[in-house]
């Protein structure tokens, strides 16, 4: 490991031109340099994050067995920061595979990387399509953008129950939020290093990219869905999983709104990269294919234009992704969101659903009350998730979930 420690060997080397001394001194300096190198190397081993920004929260205390299905494949683990290339195995039966087991790391979500480094790592794409691991199954990344508490967590627990290895969860909460998630929860240890998010500002896009980047580090994640604490699933896990995995398209709402709140928010200073004809609007709640997700975290062309020229009353969360997708991925986008929001009452905020609203009739209207295309065929199953559901909907939702939503009893 000594060759990875730069400060001392290079400092020693730079002395040589100034020292016209005999071989004995050369040898002495070499021994001292080597010793310092070894000592430094040992120090780095003891404090693997010594040079990293202290994380606002640490997942170091979480026992590795809390994530039995996740193995870390990495290179150069000894050098800070930790390598985070991850292959998740669908189950742990292949535990003889020492090349993987010996590299099993702490909880994968613990890192001290700044966004710049995180996005760089997440932007890497393997050029060999076939993985060398036989039992890797594609996963859906469920990315929760929250303020903190998750009042509907129990519904999600039931939703995920029994499907380990087919999903991964990421939670972006406010950094000051004090987590009390029990170890038995699927949300335990799934928070990612975060920054405050201010409504309507570019920090919202930053948080979305941070979620995507963390999720991209796991190569098994193939689909990436953004959710909030007020979202609910409308079908059981197996239905949603196959709907997403079998689709050729991303689900990003993207349409041309000729009115003031659409084209009126376009800023001509975004030219020439973004012209008015490129400009699109859509709901924030996206679902992305992996190739598009990689492009979003590695975008250095369009993001700065939104950061600088899309300020209220222009909201990046309503325009950045719809426009980016329209420019780069129009052919692989469905132009619709799979997350239902009720804007039918007008006004600046969507309808909030409370406990008394939760009926079979309402849920079935959301589940099957629209028309759209899925893989080229018309269908009435357009939404997989819905918002905004208030905390007091938990109890009625848990009651209808087994039969109506088809959750495992
Ligand atoms: C593990 O290795 C042992 C001995 O090499 C072998 O008998 C066993 O079948 C292996 N198990 C698996 C799951 O590969
Ligand atoms: C675990 O993986 C093995 C080997 O790939 C497979 O035969 C087995 O069915 C899997 N078990 C579960 C519970 O998925
Ligand atoms: C979280 O806990 C820390 C230490 O226990 C405390 O200083 C801080 O105020 C708490 N934050 C919130 C938002 O409650
Ligand atoms: C989505 O919209 C783009 C234009 O922005 C169009 O090229 C594409 O065909 C549309 N996709 C579908 C599935 O309708
Ligand atoms: C779409 O319709 C075609 C022809 O009717 C059918 O073969 C195909 O399976 C359908 N695809 C889906 C996803 O339902
Ligand atoms: C999931 O829901 C579908 C449709 O409602 C149902 O056919 C299927 O049996 C359910 N799956 C499980 C594992 O309960």
């Amino acid at each position: 490991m000594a060759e990875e420690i730069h400060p001392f060997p290079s400092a020693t080397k730079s002395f040589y031109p100034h020292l016209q001394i005999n071989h004995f001194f050369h040898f002495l300096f070499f021994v001292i340099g080597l010793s310092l190198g070894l000592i430094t190397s040992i120090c780095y081993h003891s404090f693997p994050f010594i040079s990293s920004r202290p994380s606002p929260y640490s997942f170091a205390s979480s026992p590795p067995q809390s994530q039995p299905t996740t193995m870390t494949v990495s290179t150069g683990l000894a050098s800070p920061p930790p390598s985070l290339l991850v292959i998740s195995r669908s189950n742990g039966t292949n535990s003889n595979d020492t090349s993987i087991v010996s590299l099993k790391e702490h909880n994968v979500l613990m890192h001290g990387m700044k966004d710049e480094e995180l996005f760089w790592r997440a932007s890497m794409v393997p050029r060999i399509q076939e993985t060398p691991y036989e039992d890797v199954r594609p996963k859906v990344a469920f990315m929760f953008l929250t303020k903190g508490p998750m009042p509907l967590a129990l519904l999600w627990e039931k939703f995920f129950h029994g499907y380990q290895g087919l999903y991964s969860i990421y939670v972006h909460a406010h950094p000051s939020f004090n987590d009390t998630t029990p170890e038995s929860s699927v949300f335990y240890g799934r928070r990612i290093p975060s920054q405050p998010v201010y409504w309507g500002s570019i920090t919202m896009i930053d948080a979305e990219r941070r979620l995507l980047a963390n999720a991209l580090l796991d190569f098994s994640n193939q689909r990436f869905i953004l959710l909030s604490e007020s979202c609910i699933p409308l079908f059981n896990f197996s239905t949603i999983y196959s709907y997403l995995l079998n689709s050729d398209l991303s689900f990003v709402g993207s349409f041309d709104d000729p009115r003031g709140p659409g084209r009126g928010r376009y800023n001509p200073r975004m030219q020439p990269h973004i012209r008015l004809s490129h400009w699109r609007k859509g709901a924030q709640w996206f679902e992305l294919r992996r190739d598009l997700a990689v492009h979003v975290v590695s975008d250095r062309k369009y993001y700065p234009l939104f950061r600088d020229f899309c300020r209220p009353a222009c909201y990046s969360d309503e325009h950045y992704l719809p426009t980016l997708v329209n420019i780069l991925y129009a052919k692989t986008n469905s132009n619709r969101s799979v997350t239902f929001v009720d804007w039918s009452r007008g006004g600046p905020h969507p309808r909030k659903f409370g406990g008394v609203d939760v009926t079979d009739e309402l849920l079935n209207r959301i589940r099957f009350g629209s028309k759209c295309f899925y893989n080229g065929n018309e269908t009435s199953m357009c939404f997989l998730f819905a918002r905004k559901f208030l905390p007091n909907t938990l109890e009625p939702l848990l009651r209808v979930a087994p039969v109506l939503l088809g959750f495992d009893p």
Side-chain angles (χ1 to χ4, degrees):
M1 287 302 132
E3 73 276 9
E4 292 186 26
I5 309 304
H6 304 300
F8 293 104
S10 62
T12 309
K13 219 179 275 169
S14 71
F15 285 152
Y16 280 89
H18 308 290
L19 295 173
Q20 303 296 322
I21 49 175
N22 63 32
H23 291 310
F24 172 75
F25 279 103
H26 280 277
F27 180 69
L28 191 63
F29 268 87
F30 171 73
V31 170
I32 291 168
L34 184 67
S35 309
L36 287 173
L38 283 172
I39 288 163
T40 318
S41 165
I42 288 160
C43 288
Y44 270 125
H45 274 288
S46 310
F47 305 102
F49 305 107
I50 200 161
S51 70
S52 305
R53 172 176 59 98
S55 184
Y57 24 74
S58 160
F59 303 107
S61 57
S62 75
Q65 60 267 29
S66 72
Q67 295 295 329
T69 60
T70 302
M71 314 242 175
T72 305
V73 178
S74 50
T75 52
L77 277 177
S79 65
S83 183
L84 284 157
L85 306 182
V86 180
I87 298 288
S88 292
R89 318 292 296 255
S90 52
N91 64 40
T93 53
N94 225 6
S95 51
N96 273 7
D97 196 340
T98 48
S99 66
I100 299 208
V101 173
S102 63
L103 291 170
K104 193 167 174 177
E105 257 288 87
H106 328 282
N107 192 316
V108 154
L109 302 187
M110 175 189 63
H111 65 72
M113 289 188 282
K114 292 201 162 64
D115 283 351
E116 194 179 53
E117 183 186 358
L118 173 67
F119 294 171
W120 176 73
R121 284 177 180 267
S123 71
M124 295 178 189
V125 177
R127 301 202 43 185
I128 297 178
Q129 292 303 313
E130 302 77 30
T131 69
Y133 313 107
E134 277 164 25
D135 57 349
V136 174
R137 293 152 85 185
K139 293 196 297 180
V140 177
F142 291 80
M143 309 181 301
F144 289 87
L145 181 54
T146 72
K147 292 180 191 74
M150 300 215 13
L152 305 177
L154 205 50
L155 181 69
W156 286 102
E157 299 276 357
K158 295 235 182 305
F159 171 78
F160 288 117
H161 183 76
Y163 293 98
Q164 272 97 341
L166 297 178
Y167 65 85
S168 12
I169 296 172
Y170 302 86
V171 179
H172 187 291
H174 193 280
S176 72
F177 173 62
N178 285 328
D179 222 345
T180 53
T181 311
E183 244 178 83
S184 56
S185 166
V186 294
F187 295 102
Y188 181 77
R190 304 308 298 175
R191 272 178 78 172
I192 62 164
S194 66
Q195 297 289 321
V197 173
Y198 303 101
W199 187 81
S201 85
I202 196 77
T203 56
M204 190 75 95
I205 305 296
D206 297 338
E208 294 174 4
R209 297 174 91 204
R210 216 172 277 131
L211 278 163
L212 282 170
N214 279 279
L216 280 165
L217 296 178
D218 184 336
F219 280 110
S220 337
N221 287 327
Q222 292 299 321
R223 307 288 308 204
F224 302 78
I225 172 91
L226 182 70
L227 299 159
S228 80
E229 65 267 66
S230 75
C231 285
I232 63 162
L234 294 167
F235 296 90
N236 61 20
F237 184 90
S238 51
T239 304
I240 288 179
Y241 179 86
S242 54
Y243 193 101
L244 295 178
L245 263 297
N246 292 324
S247 169
D248 310 327
L249 306 177
S250 298
F251 295 98
V252 180
S254 179
F255 67 100
D256 180 14
D257 181 354
R259 303 169 307 145
R263 286 190 207 170
R265 295 172 178 174
Y266 170 74
N267 186 335
R269 293 173 74 184
M270 292 177 166
Q271 285 172 337
H273 294 317
I274 304 173
R275 298 191 303 272
L276 183 59
S277 59
H278 291 139
W279 191 252
R280 290 292 182 278
K281 183 176 177 174
Q284 176 184 8
W285 308 97
F286 60 73
E287 196 284 329
L288 307 183
R289 292 172 15 149
R290 192 175 172 99
D291 56 350
L292 174 50
V294 170
H295 210 122
V296 171
V297 300
S298 47
D299 169 36
R300 299 167 76 84
K301 183 171 173 185
Y302 304 103
Y303 169 86
L305 295 172
F306 279 84
R307 184 193 58 209
D308 297 343
F309 303 125
C310 179
R311 300 271 176 85
C314 177
Y315 303 102
S316 288
D317 56 83
E318 292 181 5
H319 296 283
Y320 169 64
L321 209 49
T323 303
L324 179 94
V325 168
N326 181 45
I327 296 171
L328 298 168
Y329 287 83
K331 289 286 163 274
T332 54
N333 185 28
S334 62
N335 303 324
R336 66 182 176 94
S337 171
V338 282
T339 302
F340 173 86
V341 190
D342 184 357
W343 289 101
S344 65
R345 293 182 173 183
H349 296 289
R351 176 178 175 192
K352 289 181 174 148
F353 297 101
V356 293
D357 298 318
V358 176
T359 59
D360 287 15
E361 197 271 326
L362 171 83
L363 290 171
N364 275 334
R365 190 149 39 85
I366 300 174
R367 279 154 43 99
F368 301 114
S370 322
K371 285 266 180 288
C372 59
F373 283 90
Y374 177 77
N375 285 354
N377 295 358
E378 199 175 46
T379 175
S380 65
M381 196 177 143
C382 303
F383 297 109
L384 305 178
F385 307 94
R387 57 196 302 272
K388 303 189 124 205
F389 283 72
L390 294 170
N392 68 359
T393 57
L394 178 63
E395 194 267 328
L397 283 168
L398 286 174
R399 212 169 44 231
V400 301
V403 174
L404 185 74
L405 307 184
F407 284 24
D408 296 352

